[in-house]
Amino acid sequence: MAKNLKQIIENICARYQNDRTRMMDIVRAVQEQFGGVSPEAIDLIAQSTDAHRVEVESVVSFYAFLSQKPKGKVIIRLCNDVVDQMKGVQAVARAFSEELGIGFGETTPDSWYTLEWAPCIGMCDQAPAALINDVMVTNLTTDKAKEIVRALKLNPNPPILSTRYGLGDGNNANALVQSMVQNNVKKTGEVLLCDVPADAGLRKAIQKTPEEVIAEVEASKLRGRGGAGFPTGLKWKFTRGSKGPEKFILCNADEGEPGTFKDRVLLTERAHLVFEGMTIGGYAIGATTGILYLRGEYAYLRPFLEDILQKRRAANLLGNNILGKDGFHFDIRIQMGAGAYICGEETSLISSCEGLRGDPKNRPPFPPQQGYLRKPTSVNNVETFAAVARILDKGAAWFAAIGSGKSTGTKLLSISGDCKNPGVYEYPFGVQVRTLLQDVGAENTQALLIGGPSGQFIGAESFDKTICYDDLATGGAIVIFNKDRNMIKIAQEYMEFFVEESCGYCTPCRVGNVLIDKCLQKILAGQGEPSDIEYLQNLGNTVKKGSRCGLGQTSPNPALTTIKNFRAVYDAVLKPAQDGMQPTFDLKAAVSDAEALAGRHSVIH
Amino acid sequence: MSETITFTIDGVEVKGKAGQTIMQAADGAGIYIPRLCYLEGCEPFASCRVCTVIVNGRPQAACTQPIAPGIVVENNTPEVTQIRKDIIEMMFVEGNHFCPVCDKSGNCELQAIAYRLGILVPKFPYLFPVRELDASHPYIFIDQNRCILCGRCVQASRDIDGKHVFDFVGRGPEKKIRVNAAARLADTDLDITDKACDVCPVGAILKKGVGYAVPIGQRLYDKQPIGSDIEANANK
Ligand SMILES: Cc1cc2nc3c(=O)[nH]c(=O)nc-3n(C[C@H](O)[C@H](O)[C@H](O)COP(=O)(O)O)c2cc1C
Ligand code: SF4
Ligand code: FES
């Protein structure tokens, strides 16, 4: 066995040229084969890749999908996102737990099944959902959960589940996807979710010089769709202008912001368009390599995407002298993630592609100066690349005429929560919140979360506002909450997400989010004091201003924006203590340890 | 040839050289910007965030942010000081720091900055984590209770000693220091002469057998506040 382990690991490492920058692929492969990356495996990987064992351990310990302790052959990861909570995931969780006879975080004694929680897996429009190995199961009920476990016990092969419940729409039914996931495209638009001619943008792009391509993108005023909204043309100009013989195009398909799932739909239905956009990007900045960083949760799309890449190579849309253009060489590889929201942050994404922990990097240098392997790199969102391909086909003027003012084009919105028609909507920028609420069939709405938990909660006084960069900016996640929802509870659950997903590198984010979460929990337990508002505001300010990357710079927002826009909800529960005592001090709890030691109860008045 | 760059810190004109960080230029001008993770001779790690300053209205880490002509830097203002105090307090509640019995007391940079910023008692609740202690090595011990995850030992071992005795494992609140061995520090190639043994700003990595060589009351920061050496540059 031990010899076998050595041989297999050496083979896996050799498959990646014993290259430590491919550590993600190596440890993922070992995890898949052995159910874990054991301390012995870590030693062997370190030997083969000429790394220190602690470096390998550091990587393995970072990602939620990797573990040193072996997990079951079938891993059920139930999504515990806020939307899943709203849709009854707790009952589903009990059903899984009872049927398997284990709690969350546990593995059955026969080593077959592991049950775990996972943060948002990108299925909010069909929640509750779970990931069973690489297979998505959606719209879960307690009965369905029990049935799934029984079916797996008869045949522990998760892919059988997809056909059992009927395949999803569009390419979800493709032979290489075979998933029950639904696209739920509820509103098509004129840029992305419409008929798009194959590779028309790329063909036109290579008629131009790279500088002309960049000028076209700049003229379209396209801004990044991943959340930060940086002008794409400018980013490419910087990257092209940086010195260096080798440059890289990275596509950010980490899609981890809770409530976002539009990139999943683009990758399912417009994969060619996304790869076309990457290829145009490669041409524009002068890169020969592109990497699609695909979140681990979307592994079910990988065979389908690999096949499309293969077809594009066969059609000379990738490879050497693309479409006969002399000297234009470009190819794309897929880098799988392994369960880490922070890897959507562009410098963490680069770290992960380099085979490291998903820690963000210090800036400057910025990726266009020094990114992947310290070479000039442009990281762009999936939707950004798709839009670029359309711009090169139809022209900057056409694109710039859509939308409103400085926000040109359309935006894909992932809408979920309390509404009748959750799904993906393509709107021109400038759509009013009120219109959107009508279209999705939302009633009795108390709040919307715009841009996911790193964005903001808004209430009825903002329903006349519009979705665009100058008013309500968003990477695309919109979650709706009706009047029955407890906004403090919702904010607290999102804070828990940030606590889990902080990389832990810097102090304010690593500790501050825990403290904010604790304070909200205290308020929810009925022990809040009026001074907690100021405490949270000050603490939130320190976390936002002190943190090293965008995660901590926005993570206090669930607390801060509910305080700002739903103050009455807080005021209703924050009452000064009648007896003048600090309500946080729980005398009973404080003496409980001593009581246990003494073996008797205290008399407390 | 290095070009001189002029900017201001709290309204005071400061001159630095192109390529310097705000912290380097401030040091040269005798203006102390508090810091914990910064380790001279290594690339800035930028994990502690104690050096946070406001540059043209935007928060930045002084240890990584390059100077530029005309930038307006806020260092010693109520808001910046509040951010720093909060961060220092976070370090105190995140670990288990028992200053009165710690051999580092008086030489501890965390403690010294807390004194300098006027922190008496943290307003945050203590988190009381359960952390490990590794005394396996003949000359060195690691007490993770006092670790503030600055990264100095990781950097010193890797970039100065040319080894890789330490690294981080886990993420978020679970992040911690690990040694390059299946279990214990004794199984690594750490030597007492390694730079990594000398750089811990707190009492997490301590040498055995030399405890209390200097009595409390006569230690480095007992005599003068942290940063005094830098401020002495002011009149040069
Ligand atoms: C914590 C965090 C998570 C992020 N996640 C994503 C993501 O999943 N997808 C994405 O495109 N951008 C994400 N971003 C934004 C990226 O850092 C980066 O700005 C973006 O990929 C650039 O592409 P764009 O210019 O096309 O928007 C994230 C940022 C932060 C701080
Ligand atoms: S802000 Fe959070 S996620 Fe970003 S570097 Fe700091 S600890 Fe890591
Ligand atoms: S000294 Fe700058 S972040 Fe620590």
Side-chain angles (χ1 to χ4, degrees):
Chain A
M1 175 64 207
K3 201 166 172 198
N4 202 3
L5 179 78
K6 186 166 190 292
Q7 194 56 57
I8 294 171
I9 288 186
E10 281 176 0
N11 289 346
I12 289 174
C13 293
R15 205 188 306 155
Y16 298 100
Q17 294 80 44
N18 298 323
D19 178 357
R20 56 202 281 182
T21 71
R22 300 302 296 274
M23 193 61 82
M24 283 296 281
D25 300 283
I26 294 170
V27 289
R28 272 190 63 101
V30 173
Q31 175 84 31
E32 199 163 314
Q33 179 113 21
F34 298 100
V37 188
S38 64
E40 302 79 56
I42 287 178
D43 277 322
L44 292 166
I45 295 169
Q47 279 163 28
S48 287
T49 57
D50 195 24
H52 295 91
R53 84 175 307 284
V54 74
E55 292 177 271
V56 182
E57 188 180 353
S58 183
V59 174
V60 172
S61 67
F62 189 86
Y63 297 91
F65 287 7
L66 303 172
S67 63
Q68 293 198 47
K69 244 175 68 184
K71 292 191 182 174
K73 292 178 191 69
V74 176
I75 304 171
I76 301 175
R77 295 191 169 96
L78 185 58
C79 179
N80 67 356
D81 183 62
V82 167
V83 175
D84 296 71
Q85 303 288 350
M86 286 161 45
K87 306 286 172 188
V89 74
Q90 289 301 336
V92 173
R94 278 192 297 277
F96 271 121
S97 206
E98 277 164 22
E99 204 62 30
L100 288 165
I102 51 172
F104 277 72
E106 291 176 8
T107 298
T108 52
D110 62 6
S111 310
W112 265 100
Y113 299 94
T114 297
L115 188 57
E116 288 182 353
W117 287 114
C120 183
I121 58 175
M123 298 289 154
C124 288
D125 57 336
Q126 39 215 303
L131 195 55
I132 305 188
N133 290 356
D134 287 348
V135 174
M136 286 284 181
V137 291
T138 58
N139 291 315
L140 293 170
T141 60
T142 49
D143 286 349
K144 204 162 165 180
K146 290 189 175 165
E147 219 177 273
I148 284 172
V149 174
R150 284 176 205 151
L152 285 172
K153 282 188 174 165
L154 291 176
N155 180 4
N157 180 30
I160 55 159
L161 298 169
S162 304
T163 37
R164 186 186 178 100
Y165 294 103
L167 295 174
D169 55 349
N171 285 331
N172 290 300
N174 182 291
L176 290 171
V177 183
Q178 292 273 305
S179 173
M180 70 170 80
V181 170
Q182 296 284 351
N183 290 325
N184 285 331
V185 173
K186 296 290 165 66
K187 188 178 182 309
T188 55
E190 49 185 318
V191 179
L192 302 173
L193 301 174
C194 53
D195 283 334
V196 298
D199 298 298
L202 177 59
R203 281 173 208 281
K204 289 182 188 167
I206 56 174
Q207 303 303 317
K208 299 174 189 272
T209 65
E211 288 80 5
E212 284 166 354
V213 171
I214 292 175
E216 191 77 25
V217 177
E218 279 197 290
S220 76
K221 302 206 192 84
L222 171 67
R223 292 171 65 169
R225 303 307 199 218
F230 194 86
T232 308
L234 193 59
K235 193 186 278 185
W236 286 7
K237 198 183 219 170
F238 287 151
T239 317
R240 179 165 185 84
S242 290
K243 286 202 180 62
E246 210 182 356
K247 292 175 185 166
F248 293 92
I249 279 284
L250 266 52
C251 177
N252 190 340
D254 196 54
E255 188 157 71
E257 186 75 28
T260 322
F261 42 84
K262 49 104 186 165
D263 291 341
R264 177 213 343 128
V265 172
L266 277 180
L267 292 168
T268 310
E269 297 303 327
R270 294 289 178 274
H272 275 290
L273 194 67
V274 175
F275 291 139
E276 183 190 345
M278 288 179 72
T279 312
I280 295 170
Y283 180 71
I285 69 162
T288 52
T289 305
I291 302 175
L292 175 84
Y293 188 90
L294 186 64
R295 72 182 302 207
E297 291 80 351
Y298 293 171
Y300 74 100
L301 288 172
R302 186 175 186 181
F304 171 72
L305 295 171
E306 293 282 11
D307 180 62
I308 291 182
L309 288 176
Q310 208 48 50
K311 287 183 174 136
R312 293 184 72 82
R313 283 178 200 119
N316 192 219
L317 294 160
L318 289 173
N320 289 340
N321 304 314
I322 291 174
L323 293 174
K325 180 85 184 176
D326 231 17
F328 175 32
H329 315 314
F330 187 73
D331 209 334
I332 296 173
R333 79 168 168 95
I334 297 177
Q335 175 67 62
M336 293 305 302
Y341 163 67
I342 186 60
C343 288
E345 195 282 332
E346 57 181 7
T347 61
S348 305
L349 182 141
I350 290 170
S351 297
S352 191
C353 287
E354 291 170 338
L356 304 169
R357 298 162 59 82
D359 287 338
K361 297 180 191 290
N362 287 337
R363 275 156 288 211
F366 292 88
Q369 307 165 295
Q370 262 183 48
Y372 177 63
L373 304 177
R374 299 202 171 216
K375 312 262 167 61
T377 301
S378 178
V379 183
N380 299 93
N381 174 256
V382 172
E383 189 183 342
T384 310
F385 282 116
V388 161
R390 298 289 288 145
I391 290 166
L392 265 296
D393 176 26
K394 305 267 284 184
W398 164 81
F399 189 83
I402 305 168
S404 82
K406 284 187 249 166
S407 306
T408 57
T410 60
K411 184 78 195 80
L412 295 189
L413 301 179
S414 319
I415 308 185
S416 64
D418 291 317
C419 62
K420 289 203 191 75
N421 307 306
V424 173
Y425 291 71
E426 180 173 359
Y427 282 107
F429 273 107
V431 62
Q432 230 181 13
V433 172
R434 200 173 292 289
T435 314
L436 194 148
L437 285 172
Q438 247 164 31
D439 291 357
V440 301
E443 280 165 13
N444 219 8
T445 303
Q446 175 182 197
L448 278 90
L449 178 59
I450 308 273
S454 69
Q456 53 177 324
F457 285 95
I458 60 163
E461 67 286 351
S462 301
F463 290 178
D464 289 331
K465 291 194 171 186
T466 57
I467 304 289
C468 66
Y469 292 104
D470 304 317
D471 199 358
L472 297 171
T474 171
I478 293 190
V479 188
I480 300 170
F481 303 92
N482 69 25
K483 297 208 164 111
D484 299 330
R485 307 293 175 192
N486 178 347
M487 295 315 294
I488 305 178
K489 179 75 188 141
I490 304 259
Q492 184 268 322
E493 284 173 6
Y494 280 127
M495 285 314 302
E496 222 171 282
F497 168 80
F498 287 126
V499 168
E500 288 275 314
E501 297 300 323
S502 158
C503 83
Y505 195 106
C506 73
T507 320
C509 171
R510 184 182 69 239
V511 190
N513 288 321
V514 174
L515 297 172
I516 295 173
D517 182 24
K518 265 190 174 303
C519 184
L520 290 176
Q521 284 186 33
K522 185 193 82 167
I523 294 172
L524 287 167
Q527 296 176 334
E529 315 162 50
S531 62
D532 288 339
I533 294 284
E534 209 189 324
Y535 171 88
L536 283 170
Q537 284 171 331
N538 290 338
L539 180 53
N541 184 56
T542 293
V543 175
K544 288 181 88 154
K545 297 206 169 134
S547 286
R548 180 165 173 265
C549 85
L551 193 150
Q553 286 159 10
T554 56
S555 61
N557 283 349
L560 296 180
T561 66
T562 48
I563 288 176
K564 180 160 170 252
N565 296 326
F566 299 89
R567 182 60 185 267
V569 180
Y570 283 88
D571 287 341
V573 294
L574 300 177
K575 300 199 185 74
Q578 300 288 311
D579 52 7
M581 299 259 282
Q582 241 188 331
T584 31
F585 182 68
D586 181 348
L587 183 55
K588 271 207 172 98
V591 298
S592 64
D593 280 353
E595 284 181 334
L597 285 173
R600 62 183 174 78
H601 287 292
S602 314
V603 182
I604 298 173
H605 296 286
Chain B
M1 84 146 249
S2 51
E3 165 204 349
T4 301
I5 288 182
T6 310
F7 65 102
T8 64
I9 299 181
D10 295 332
V12 177
E13 196 177 277
V14 174
K15 286 190 196 313
K17 295 188 195 78
Q20 278 187 319
T21 61
I22 292 175
M23 184 180 284
Q24 288 168 332
D27 283 359
I31 296 171
Y32 172 63
I33 299 176
R35 72 211 57 189
L36 270 172
C37 67
Y38 180 73
L39 179 61
E40 197 138 8
C42 292
E43 266 186 47
F45 199 65
S47 63
C48 76
R49 315 310 284 181
V50 175
C51 71
T52 299
V53 289
I54 312 263
V55 183
N56 290 349
R58 287 189 58 148
Q60 303 283 5
C63 66
T64 56
Q65 188 64 20
I67 56 172
I71 53 170
V72 176
V73 179
E74 296 166 48
N75 174 44
N76 208 350
T77 64
E79 189 191 12
V80 172
T81 302
Q82 192 54 53
I83 291 170
R84 291 177 184 159
K85 277 174 134 168
D86 283 358
I87 292 173
I88 294 291
E89 289 186 22
M90 284 177 191
M91 291 177 179
F92 275 104
V93 301
E94 183 192 24
N96 301 306
H97 297 273
F98 303 110
C99 301
V101 293
C102 178
D103 184 36
K104 193 78 175 200
S105 201
N107 291 322
C108 171
E109 294 176 42
L110 176 67
Q111 184 192 49
I113 294 179
Y115 278 137
R116 180 156 176 152
L117 295 178
I119 295 171
L120 294 174
V121 69
K123 62 186 155 298
F124 304 132
Y126 284 98
L127 301 177
F128 297 123
V130 176
R131 296 215 187 139
E132 295 156 24
L133 193 145
D134 181 346
S136 62
H137 194 279
Y139 306 117
I140 302 287
F141 76 88
I142 311 179
D143 183 355
Q144 303 234 11
N145 286 294
R146 314 175 207 181
C147 175
I148 56 168
L149 303 163
C150 65
R152 279 193 193 174
C153 58
V154 176
Q155 282 197 298
S157 182
R158 185 187 59 204
D159 302 338
I160 300 174
D161 302 329
K163 303 181 181 180
H164 203 119
V165 176
F166 303 101
D167 210 329
F168 290 111
V169 293
R171 76 173 187 214
E174 307 300 322
K175 184 176 176 173
K176 60 177 185 182
I177 284 287
R178 271 287 283 151
V179 299
N180 186 37
R184 308 176 314 156
L185 186 61
D187 304 324
T188 68
D189 54 352
L190 182 75
D191 288 321
I192 182 117
T193 50
D194 284 359
K195 182 76 176 167
C197 305
D198 288 326
V199 294
C200 181
V202 291
I205 298 181
L206 285 175
K207 292 182 180 164
K208 293 181 174 177
V210 294
Y212 299 95
V214 179
I216 286 182
Q218 294 171 33
R219 297 178 175 186
L220 185 59
Y221 304 122
D222 293 334
K223 296 186 185 145
Q224 55 171 13
I226 191 166
S228 305
D229 49 340
I230 289 168
E231 285 165 330
N233 289 340
N235 308 322
K236 274 201 257 169

